[in-house]
Amino acid sequence: MFQNLKVRLGLIAGLTVLSILALIYKPITLGLDLQGGAHYAMEIDESRTVLTPEARRDAIDRALKVVRIRVDELGVSEPVVQKAGEDRIIVELAGRTDQSRAKEVLQKSAFLEFKIVRPTSELQGLLPRMEAAVAAAFPNEARPAGTPAGNAAGGLLQTKTGQDSTRPADSLTTARPLESKFAGVGSGQQILIDTANVATVQKYLALPQVQALLPRGAQFLWGMPSAEEQKGFASLWYVNRDAIMTGEHLQNAQAQTDQFNRPIVAFELSRRAGRRFEKATSDHLHEQMAIVLDDRVYTAPVINGAINTRGQIELGKASMEDASDLALVLRAGALPAPLHIVEERSVGPSLGEDSIKNGQIAAIVGIGAVILMMIAIYHFSGVLAVMALAIYVVLSLGMLAALDATLTFPGIAGLILSVGMAVDANVLIFERIREELDHGRSIRAAVNEGFHHAMRAIVDSNVSTLITCAILFYTGTGPIRGFAVTLAMGVIASFFTAVFTTRTFMQLYLERRRAQSLSI
């Protein structure tokens, strides 16, 4: 199939277009060193307790889960949260300028609570008064009478309340600024909110007059972003304010399977807490119990029976990996020791700007030198190699964008390094073609033999570099991984352009021109 010249040209054009589209719709994310941000190294604080090596490893694993959840809350794009060694966690927040809040969130003690989920039907009577309070506080945001509220899915109580002509909100205004942001009800009876409307709903619910309307002991809590059941929607849970139990009484939690091989999370409480938990769960049989970590609802299973010191959480169709995650979250709610920051560095955006500027200069100089060298030494064949080099640059950047790779300063170095490697294969091929021409072969035979004999050396070189990249990626961290990824992408792109693209251009030239000689 690839012997057909049209197919080869179509493949090159298709990959180039896809790479350009990837760069347009998924711009390359800049790393910490290019756009500035914060770097933290965190360890378990053992000043008040002494942990065994095994307990320390377990505590670090639990802390890693908690920190990842909290970093998600910060809304940082492409954060780095990883374990370094046996007892340290590295956090890098690119573009993060509010470092005081980041430190506060990272060091805050994990707080686990079990709370009863209240039925959303309670809101039917409250919502009209809440709408009136919101409309009075934000009259410019209230919808005029007759304007349909919400999206196509309708607000949470749109139909039922719409039939109630006595609702107080209608006497003041027919606007439904709050309900119009409700996108429906999830499988766990949580209210779904389009992520674009989360900030607005938070603002409405934070109004003192709205909070005053809630029944005593009730509150709204947001769901954990990483545990949302629908992408693009946030969950708003209506729960009891008082917890029936907190994580301080949790002694252990493990992912297991039940008699039907379904994943569950088995947990164990202290004896005293077990008695309290048994009474609380007996009073709320067949209701939902929200598992809340740092004021975020992770999940809300149904209570199927009274739970004493030992209980289990059934996860339905969830995977064993989900069960392991939940068990880790439960155990994370009772960290044996707090985290503290042992190293803190901030990278200013000016350093990143300088790095980008220097990287651009280095790239222009490097590519320019390569272009001049190839044309000066290999003449017209060098021009074909330069054309392939241009495609190589587009493919390399397109692959980085498509893979959501984060570009760091070492990554730029890897990219520039791979520019030189991109023509290395062409140098091998062109020298072999010259040798074949010197031996009196025809142009077509010399080109075929040149590519054939140089292929083994090119493959060996590229494979050895890819193995090196894999080792760097596996053993390295942050910038080292960025270097490994960009270098690997560059090697793959250079192999394609040097071997496939350059040969295609040569075939096109020889067929169209029916050349009697080759400028090389």
Side-chain angles (χ1 to χ4, degrees):
M1 178 174 69
F2 292 115
Q3 298 302 316
N4 188 300
L5 189 57
K6 291 183 179 178
V7 173
R8 296 174 71 98
L9 289 172
L11 180 61
I12 295 169
L15 290 176
T16 305
V17 170
L18 287 176
S19 298
I20 293 173
L21 291 176
L23 286 170
I24 293 174
Y25 292 104
K26 296 178 70 175
I28 297 175
T29 304
L30 299 181
L32 176 70
D33 51 357
L34 294 183
Q35 64 169 318
H39 167 99
Y40 302 102
M42 310 177 71
E43 291 182 353
I44 295 289
D45 185 359
E46 297 185 60
S47 59
R48 288 173 291 180
T49 182
V50 178
L51 301 175
T52 63
E54 185 179 350
R56 187 182 299 112
R57 284 194 295 272
D58 182 63
I60 282 290
D61 288 339
R62 285 190 262 167
L64 188 65
K65 180 72 176 178
V66 173
V67 170
R68 280 180 176 153
I69 291 172
R70 292 176 179 180
V71 169
D72 287 342
E73 293 182 22
L74 290 172
V76 178
S77 176
E78 299 294 330
V80 174
V81 181
Q82 60 192 11
K83 190 164 68 173
E86 294 294 325
D87 56 359
R88 182 170 285 197
I89 295 174
I90 300 296
V91 179
E92 292 184 346
L93 307 176
R96 187 74 199 179
T97 56
D98 185 5
Q99 296 186 24
S100 60
R101 179 170 178 265
K103 288 174 62 178
E104 179 185 349
V105 170
L106 290 175
Q107 295 185 106
K108 186 172 64 175
S109 296
F111 190 52
L112 175 68
E113 299 171 283
F114 298 91
K115 294 187 174 184
I116 296 300
V117 177
R118 300 173 77 105
T120 52
S121 57
E122 281 188 13
L123 296 174
Q124 293 183 19
L126 296 175
L127 204 51
R129 286 178 286 168
M130 295 168 68
E131 296 285 20
V134 172
F138 302 102
N140 294 332
E141 298 181 24
R143 292 174 181 275
T147 301
N151 54 20
L156 173 66
L157 305 172
Q158 181 178 348
T159 302
K160 294 180 180 179
T161 54
Q163 295 170 349
D164 183 5
S165 60
T166 63
R167 50 190 292 189
D170 291 338
S171 63
L172 177 65
T173 172
T174 56
R176 291 195 292 267
L178 178 59
E179 190 183 357
S180 65
K181 304 297 185 295
F182 294 170
V185 179
S187 59
Q189 295 303 304
Q190 74 274 36
I191 303 169
L192 300 179
I193 310 288
D194 192 302
T195 51
N197 294 322
V198 167
T200 303
V201 174
Q202 284 177 327
K203 180 178 66 175
Y204 292 164
L205 295 180
L207 288 171
Q209 50 271 45
V210 171
Q211 290 293 316
L213 292 172
L214 293 179
R216 183 186 298 274
Q219 68 174 156
F220 286 106
L221 289 180
W222 291 96
M224 197 80 71
S226 58
E228 296 297 355
E229 63 180 18
Q230 291 190 41
K231 190 176 181 181
F233 291 91
S235 295
L236 184 64
W237 294 85
Y238 183 54
V239 302
N240 280 345
R241 185 178 297 276
D242 294 332
I244 61 176
M245 186 66 65
T246 62
E248 64 177 316
H249 304 289
L250 188 72
Q251 292 189 328
N252 196 10
Q254 296 291 336
Q256 299 177 1
T257 55
D258 62 10
Q259 65 270 32
F260 303 108
N261 205 31
R262 295 175 303 192
I264 61 171
V265 174
F267 61 89
E268 184 177 350
L269 301 171
S270 63
R271 184 175 301 178
R272 182 178 177 185
R275 288 196 293 272
R276 288 172 47 202
F277 204 52
E278 182 176 23
K279 183 181 184 310
T281 50
S282 298
D283 294 341
H284 296 281
L285 279 178
H286 309 302
E287 296 182 32
Q288 285 180 277
M289 180 175 63
I291 298 173
V292 184
L293 186 65
D294 287 344
D295 288 333
R296 290 275 187 170
V297 176
Y298 189 87
T299 184
V302 176
I303 302 172
N304 291 322
I307 303 172
N308 194 274
T309 55
R310 294 176 182 272
Q312 66 180 41
I313 300 171
E314 298 175 359
L315 300 179
K317 297 179 180 178
S319 65
M320 198 62 195
E321 186 179 2
D322 294 331
S324 298
D325 284 348
L326 178 56
L328 199 54
V329 167
L330 290 174
R331 285 183 285 144
L335 278 176
L339 288 172
H340 69 134
I341 295 175
V342 295
E343 180 186 349
E344 176 184 353
R345 285 188 284 116
S346 62
V347 180
S350 58
L351 178 60
E353 291 173 4
D354 291 343
S355 300
I356 293 174
K357 185 177 179 180
N358 292 335
Q360 289 173 338
I361 294 173
I364 292 172
V365 172
I367 293 174
V370 169
I371 290 173
L372 291 176
M373 182 200 73
M374 292 300 292
I375 294 177
I377 297 177
Y378 298 106
H379 311 297
F380 179 74
S381 297
V383 173
L384 297 181
V386 169
M387 292 169 60
L389 181 65
I391 295 175
Y392 153 80
V393 173
V394 175
L395 292 182
S396 297
L397 296 177
M399 282 194 289
L400 290 175
L403 292 175
D404 278 335
T406 300
L407 186 62
T408 62
F409 191 61
I412 292 178
L415 208 56
I416 295 172
L417 176 63
S418 63
V419 169
M421 297 174 63
V423 294
D424 182 60
N426 282 136
V427 171
L428 287 174
I429 294 168
F430 291 166
E431 290 300 326
R432 289 297 309 216
I433 292 175
R434 279 181 170 178
E435 290 179 6
E436 297 298 331
L437 289 173
D438 290 343
H439 285 98
R441 291 185 181 272
S442 67
I443 294 176
R444 288 183 180 277
V447 169
N448 290 335
E449 291 298 319
F451 276 94
H452 176 72
H453 290 299
M455 183 64 71
R456 184 169 181 176
I458 296 170
V459 170
D460 288 348
S461 171
N462 288 341
V463 169
S464 60
T465 305
L466 288 174
I467 291 173
T468 304
C469 292
I471 294 172
L472 283 175
F473 184 83
Y474 182 76
T475 59
T477 60
I480 302 299
R481 285 190 164 192
F483 174 80
V485 170
T486 52
L487 184 57
M489 295 299 102
V491 168
I492 294 171
S494 70
F495 181 82
F496 176 78
T497 55
V499 175
F500 189 85
T501 306
T502 306
R503 184 166 189 172
T504 302
F505 289 164
M506 276 198 165
Q507 285 182 352
L508 180 65
Y509 170 75
L510 294 176
E511 286 194 8
R512 294 297 171 89
R513 298 285 182 177
R514 301 192 181 281
Q516 300 300 313
S517 62
L518 180 64
S519 176
I520 189 169

